[in-house]
Amino acid sequence: MLTWMGVWAFMCGIMGYIGDRQAQSVLLSGLNKLEYRGYDSAGVAIAGDAELQVEKSVGRLAVLADHLAMSPIVGKVGIGHTRWATHGRPSDENAHPHTACDREFAVVHNGIIENYLQLKEHLLSRGHRFTSETDTEVVAHLLEEYFTGDLFSTVLRVIKEIRGAYALAVVAEKEPEKIVAVRKHSPLVVGFGDGEQFLASDIPALLDYTREVHILAEGEIAVLTKDGIACYDLAGEPMTVEPFFVTWDAQAAEKGGYAHYMLKEIYEQPKAVRDTLSGRLTEEGRGVVLPELAWTVEEIKKIDRIHIVACGTSYHAGLVGKAAIEQLARIPVDVEVASEYRYRDPILSADTLILVISQSGETADTLAALRNAKACGNRVLAITNVVGSSVAREADDVMITWAGPEISVASTKAYTTQLIALYLLAIYLGQSLQVIDAVFISELVHEMQTLPQKLDDVLETAPQIEKIAQAFSTWDDAFFLGRGIDYFVALEGALKYKEISYIHAEAYPAGELKHGTLALIVEQVPVIALVTQDVLYEKSLSNIKEVKARDAYVLGIAWAGDDEIAKSVDRVLYVPRTMSFFAPVMLIAPLQLLAYYASVARGNDVDKPRNLAKSVTVE
Ligand code: M6R
């Protein structure tokens, strides 16, 4: 039997409030914004004038909200949690907050406490009674065991005993006027209000209440009281913090009229591309400037190889990045899945650059690969979408993708902006090393500037794609084919399709079909063939003929103006022509829409596909 650890390894959302409002409604509204972090169970603990009260239940946040609507908890201090199971199956008992024997302490936790079994054994021998299968519950019992009358110093003592990754928030019945929170390898943000303070796993949960926020540093402890927030290091020494003002529109983190976050995020891509390019092209538009990389030409010349390390969609962007960097800068690049990379012993010279890509900046495997590389003394460049994320904080150099908050589990605009960041990097390296000439650089830069408008044009084909997706959604399989860079996009198209439609989808380099997969091609099975790589055009057509000869239903996606392709496939979707090099930016939007509409047609929960969560913050 599979154990929970290592299989159900996701993240959770934490919310905390102290002030004059009823905590219940603030906690529910914050948790609602954090549900993308996990949604198998939820709970709140509220301290008021009476005893600490806890309500929790398995299922979506709505189930908890229903319970609380029927029996509201009165109180102005509270912590809440939305869970994705790691230790212990989703159940009422395993839902957070967790309490100890006397129910005087409540704890919510995101992460994993690695030594919980030893701690539990010790606590059991001391007479503590456990009610859940979670690792988190040990924290509540440790608080009970060590409580000295001062919650802050007790938390300091408890965190000396626990090992692992955690963000914790704690309330105590005996000190109902405070919340103590601590961050170690799991994100936590505090928000400053007027006579009220907030705590959350992520900024959007706070934006209805405050825009003055502080992202806790590794090992930082925050004590929230109604009148303020005091921060301390692990030794209990006070720290000075400077809150920053969040300028995003709160709407930016909400659906804004679209049926799903995913659809909204697909449509945000032209803007996200524009924002990611902004400030990174020279004024006369003839080159790339990356002010965030203070690298000298000498330093760039020394880079002998680049290892790109990432997971899922970010890994697929990395594959395109390899093609771009190798072609434009002639630096050899390897691309690896972080969960594999971190456990092998890669051959690194002192001059190998490690490039990690992560939308969230919190993916545990990517972060571990980053840390390994740093431990070897290698320079790490990160491409991430989240300012202040662990990856952004720990890398030597950071390129932010300005996609804005991505809420849907299926990554869309983050991928497109990762591509843009990688193209910018490739041009920047090529230009610094003088591998590419000035004329070619300005052609590339000029073409990049046209991509947002072209993407807008692609999105206008959504109604056609919806119809095709509806027809495909009745099939149990789909095959995505491409050659060269098109194959890398096919991989991302297939991931998107299976992730949200739950239809079996496979991507193949089209030339490889005859080595096995062709056996699966049967009459009418959907095949999506990407055909934008000019040098491989004839080869791609002949691969399409191979599947057509087996009576597959072939949807071709090709350049506008390609009349030839229509003779070989059942249906064509045209995308505006750009340089073959930038084809992924054009191809990915129809593939995202195809997956989206197939998911809708099958009645799936598009934004929260089963068994998945937005970021995988533990192994
Ligand atoms: O936040 P990250 O980019 O590090 O996340 C990596 C993957 O977990 C992520 O891309 C995942 O594959 C997406 N859900 C795919 O849509």
Side-chain angles (χ1 to χ4, degrees):
M1 198 179 123
L2 295 168
T3 58
W4 289 102
M5 175 147 71
V7 177
W8 297 95
F10 295 90
M11 67 180 183
C12 308
I14 289 175
M15 182 75 194
Y17 174 74
I18 184 162
D20 283 332
R21 307 180 203 224
Q22 285 303 319
Q24 173 179 310
S25 70
V26 181
L27 296 178
L28 286 175
S29 114
L31 291 177
N32 187 35
K33 305 264 170 35
L34 296 172
E35 231 193 338
Y36 72 90
R37 301 176 67 87
Y39 35 87
D40 66 36
S41 51
V44 295
I46 294 176
D49 301 336
E51 60 187 18
L52 190 64
Q53 291 189 64
V54 176
E55 179 67 46
K56 52 189 193 170
S57 52
V58 69
R60 288 285 168 91
L61 184 63
V63 179
L64 175 73
D66 284 349
H67 291 174
L68 289 171
M70 278 187 292
S71 319
I73 306 180
V74 177
K76 296 174 180 172
V77 182
I79 52 176
H81 191 263
T82 176
R83 178 174 188 248
W84 199 257
T86 55
H87 289 66
R89 73 205 143 79
S91 68
D92 285 353
E93 297 73 32
N94 290 335
H96 299 213
H98 288 284
T99 51
C101 308
D102 294 337
R103 295 177 66 88
E104 289 183 346
F105 302 91
V107 181
V108 290
H109 165 221
N110 171 27
I112 282 185
I113 294 167
E114 287 164 4
N115 57 336
Y116 83 102
L117 283 174
Q118 296 99 294
L119 292 170
K120 187 169 177 175
E121 212 171 295
H122 168 69
L123 288 159
L124 284 168
S125 73
R126 300 267 308 150
H128 289 261
R129 299 175 309 281
F130 281 75
T131 56
S132 79
E133 304 159 291
T134 66
D135 51 342
T136 308
E137 193 182 341
V138 295
V139 178
H141 290 277
L142 286 171
L143 288 167
E144 187 174 72
E145 179 76 8
Y146 297 142
F147 189 61
T148 52
D150 175 51
L151 184 60
F152 173 62
S153 58
T154 312
V155 169
L156 273 182
R157 164 128 198 227
V158 168
I159 58 180
K160 288 201 173 73
E161 304 263 325
I162 57 179
R163 278 202 320 268
Y166 49 81
L168 291 169
V170 174
V171 285
E173 191 171 294
K174 291 192 177 129
E175 282 184 68
E177 73 291 350
K178 68 174 66 147
I179 301 172
V180 180
V182 54
R183 171 196 174 140
K184 192 173 170 213
H185 304 313
S186 286
L188 213 46
V189 184
V190 288
F192 299 78
D194 187 8
E196 56 182 356
Q197 316 300 332
F198 306 84
L199 170 76
S201 297
D202 199 358
I203 293 171
L206 304 178
L207 293 185
D208 282 346
Y209 303 101
T210 180
R211 287 173 173 274
E212 296 283 339
V213 307
H214 164 63
I215 299 170
L216 295 196
E218 283 308 323
E220 188 170 350
I221 305 170
V223 179
L224 288 77
T225 56
K226 186 171 166 305
D227 297 320
I229 301 174
C231 293
Y232 302 87
D233 64 17
L234 283 180
E237 294 300 321
M239 291 171 62
T240 310
V241 299
E242 284 185 20
F244 68 91
F245 189 79
V246 179
T247 51
W248 321 328
D249 181 353
Q251 286 288 319
E254 294 178 9
K255 281 189 214 155
Y258 288 91
H260 298 96
Y261 283 113
M262 183 181 178
L263 191 61
K264 171 176 173 274
E265 289 161 6
I266 289 172
Y267 276 89
E268 283 171 347
Q269 292 179 110
K271 177 178 184 304
V273 168
R274 246 180 232 113
D275 291 349
T276 304
L277 285 174
S278 171
R280 285 165 166 165
L281 304 177
T282 57
E283 268 179 29
E284 44 327 334
R286 290 204 209 104
V288 168
V289 276
L290 296 178
E292 58 269 67
L293 304 186
W295 297 350
T296 62
V297 172
E298 285 318 304
E299 284 175 314
I300 295 172
K301 280 187 180 155
K302 278 177 73 182
I303 300 172
D304 62 357
R305 180 167 281 275
I306 299 177
H307 286 185
I308 298 182
V309 188
C311 301
T313 290
S314 300
Y315 166 75
H316 293 155
L319 293 171
V320 178
K322 169 184 165 76
I325 295 169
E326 287 190 341
Q327 191 177 329
L328 297 181
R330 304 307 292 163
I331 300 173
V333 180
D334 301 305
V335 191
E336 294 203 43
V337 166
S339 54
E340 293 295 322
Y341 185 79
R342 65 180 287 192
Y343 287 115
R344 59 183 206 81
D345 190 9
I347 299 170
L348 300 173
S349 85
D351 297 319
T352 303
L353 174 72
I354 312 302
L355 168 53
V356 297
I357 309 175
S358 174
Q359 184 284 130
S360 61
E362 300 294 346
T363 298
D365 287 322
T366 308
L367 201 48
L370 179 161
R371 287 177 181 150
N372 288 350
K374 288 206 73 174
C376 292
N378 284 75
R379 188 164 196 156
V380 178
L381 165 63
I383 294 181
T384 180
N385 193 37
V386 182
V387 179
S389 62
S390 303
V391 158
R393 293 153 94 94
E394 295 186 32
D396 299 296
D397 306 282
V398 183
M399 282 181 78
I400 298 292
T401 53
W402 297 107
E406 192 180 66
I407 305 295
S408 178
V409 168
S411 188
T412 52
K413 60 179 179 169
Y415 172 76
T416 320
T417 55
Q418 286 166 351
L419 294 178
I420 297 297
L422 287 159
Y423 291 138
L424 287 167
L425 178 67
I427 299 170
Y428 170 79
L429 293 173
Q431 144 195 304
S432 308
L433 296 171
Q434 297 184 336
V435 173
I436 40 178
D437 65 32
V439 177
F440 188 37
I441 294 172
S442 44
E443 276 169 27
L444 288 163
V445 167
H446 174 262
E447 192 55 33
M448 282 182 100
Q449 287 168 311
T450 69
L451 294 177
Q453 179 55 53
K454 288 180 176 170
L455 249 178
D456 266 326
D457 297 343
V458 176
L459 293 171
E460 281 181 18
T461 60
Q464 293 172 50
I465 300 170
E466 183 173 9
K467 288 203 182 81
I468 299 168
Q470 282 165 351
F472 282 6
S473 70
T474 57
W475 280 82
D476 291 332
D477 305 284
F479 295 89
F480 291 72
L481 307 181
R483 298 198 66 146
I485 296 182
D486 287 352
Y487 166 56
F488 302 145
V489 191
L491 283 167
E492 175 57 10
L495 173 62
K496 219 88 302 176
Y497 203 69
K498 57 191 145 192
E499 180 179 25
I500 57 169
S501 74
Y502 313 152
I503 297 169
H504 165 241
E506 291 197 46
Y508 267 88
E512 185 69 8
L513 276 183
K514 53 189 170 295
H515 299 290
T517 310
L518 207 51
L520 294 174
I521 304 298
V522 293
E523 195 179 344
Q524 291 297 298
V525 71
V527 171
I528 296 97
L530 311 181
V531 196
T532 66
Q533 298 304 300
D534 295 338
V535 289
L536 289 160
Y537 186 77
E538 297 301 332
K539 305 275 175 208
S540 300
L541 280 195
S542 97
N543 297 137
I544 288 173
K545 286 184 179 127
E546 286 166 8
V547 292
K548 263 322 291 169
R550 273 87 191 165
D551 286 330
Y553 182 96
V554 182
L555 167 68
I557 308 186
W559 295 134
D562 178 354
D563 299 329
E564 192 57 33
I565 183 91
K567 298 176 196 156
S568 309
V569 301
D570 296 280
R571 181 85 197 252
V572 195
L573 279 174
Y574 288 113
V575 293
R577 188 175 260 282
T578 173
M579 294 162 111
S580 295
F581 205 57
F582 298 132
V585 181
M586 294 297 112
L587 291 173
I588 195 58
L591 297 181
Q592 292 164 345
L593 287 167
L594 194 72
Y596 171 77
Y597 287 119
S599 175
V600 171
R602 288 167 76 103
N604 296 348
D605 190 344
V606 177
D607 286 331
K608 292 172 184 163
R610 69 186 180 206
N611 303 342
L612 298 174
K614 183 64 185 162
S615 301
V616 187
T617 54
V618 288
E619 191 177 1

